[in-house]
Amino acid sequence: MTQYRRIRELREDHDKTQKEIAAMLGMKQPQYFRYEQGYRDIPTDMLIALADYYGVSVDYILGRTDRTT
């Protein structure tokens, strides 16, 4: 469950809206909302894209480490 909280916190820390992040990922806002709420699992390619966008590791998003890089 950590990954859902982390992607929301990263988005908020970067002052981005769900709509902006969804557009960057090539999807509509309601689909991204489901990822942040934990209603849908985040696909691997989306995890990688988010990690690259925010400059953090995938392990950080997944909660395997508290180090961002």
Side-chain angles (χ1 to χ4, degrees):
M1 294 295 175
T2 301
Q3 66 265 28
Y4 310 118
R5 180 174 40 87
R6 288 241 165 120
I7 64 168
R8 184 186 72 240
E9 289 172 354
L10 284 165
R11 178 181 57 78
E12 291 172 348
D13 288 348
H14 286 80
D15 296 321
K16 298 293 181 183
T17 65
Q18 286 184 348
K19 188 173 183 176
E20 290 172 316
I21 299 303
M24 182 273 299
L25 294 171
M27 66 180 66
K28 302 228 183 245
Q29 181 273 334
Q31 183 178 356
Y32 181 77
F33 168 81
R34 290 181 192 98
Y35 295 147
E36 275 196 11
Q37 295 301 309
Y39 299 146
R40 304 257 340 235
D41 286 334
I42 306 166
T44 303
D45 60 328
M46 296 294 162
L47 279 173
I48 293 168
L50 288 166
D52 289 347
Y53 182 78
Y54 292 123
V56 299
S57 68
V58 172
D59 281 347
Y60 175 77
I61 292 176
L62 294 175
R64 293 174 44 97
T65 184
D66 287 330
R67 294 180 48 210
T68 56
T69 55

